[in-house]
Amino acid sequence: MAEFELTASPSQEELAAIADALTAFNAGDVGPSDRQPLSVLIRDTDGKVTGGLSGFTAWGWLFTQMLYVPDTLRGTGLAGKLLAKAEEEARARGCRGAWIDTFSPQALRAYLRQGYEVFGELEEFPEGRTRSFLRKNL
């Protein structure tokens, strides 16, 4: 019988065991993902990364995991420029769609301006907010 261990601090090897097994299962089930990281970095005049976009492409889709614009640059259209650069690269990789999620009302407005549409919502996540899931055809 399987044994369970609850932990808040799994090792990298333990996490890799799960990820490797799931990757192998998914590849056998729906085919290889061709997962590739994708980042668009914002650097200051000293070359230090101050924000940007991080995600990956897989199975013909771009997923933006994180997008951060420094406070001093917000309201300048930079989020849209980051998304546009990531989408351009995703298209070059053969992607047909993009998705992202947020619970920030400001980010939601920015993503809608970029042509994303809400396809799902999770209310009260976190409390007092709605997490919106958005997609865009590329």
Side-chain angles (χ1 to χ4, degrees), residues 56-118:
F56 61 87
T57 56
W59 287 300
W61 282 78
L62 164 65
F63 173 53
T64 299
Q65 292 175 292
M66 296 183 284
L67 191 153
Y68 176 75
V69 175
D71 292 341
T72 58
L73 298 174
R74 290 191 184 156
T76 64
L78 211 51
K81 291 176 184 174
L82 290 168
L83 287 166
K85 285 188 177 296
E87 292 164 8
E88 180 181 345
E89 175 60 21
R91 280 187 204 93
R93 295 180 185 187
C95 290
R96 63 187 178 281
W99 71 285
I100 191 168
D101 66 89
T102 187
F103 53 78
S104 164
Q106 297 84 0
L108 177 60
R109 288 191 296 273
Y111 303 154
L112 292 170
R113 280 193 301 271
Q114 285 304 117
Y116 284 75
E117 61 183 348
V118 174

Side-chain angles (χ1 to χ4, degrees), residues 103 123-130:
F103 53 78
E123 295 178 4
E124 295 298 316
F125 187 84
E127 189 174 337
R129 296 281 182 98
T130 296

Side-chain angles (χ1 to χ4, degrees), residues 15-56:
L15 293 174
I18 297 168
D20 292 348
L22 181 58
T23 298
F25 173 83
N26 286 339
D29 189 38
V30 297
S33 69
D34 192 28
R35 182 178 172 139
Q36 298 176 56
L38 191 154
S39 294
V40 182
L41 307 176
I42 301 171
R43 294 186 184 272
D44 66 13
T45 55
D46 296 326
K48 178 184 172 196
V49 174
T50 60
L53 176 153
S54 177
F56 61 87

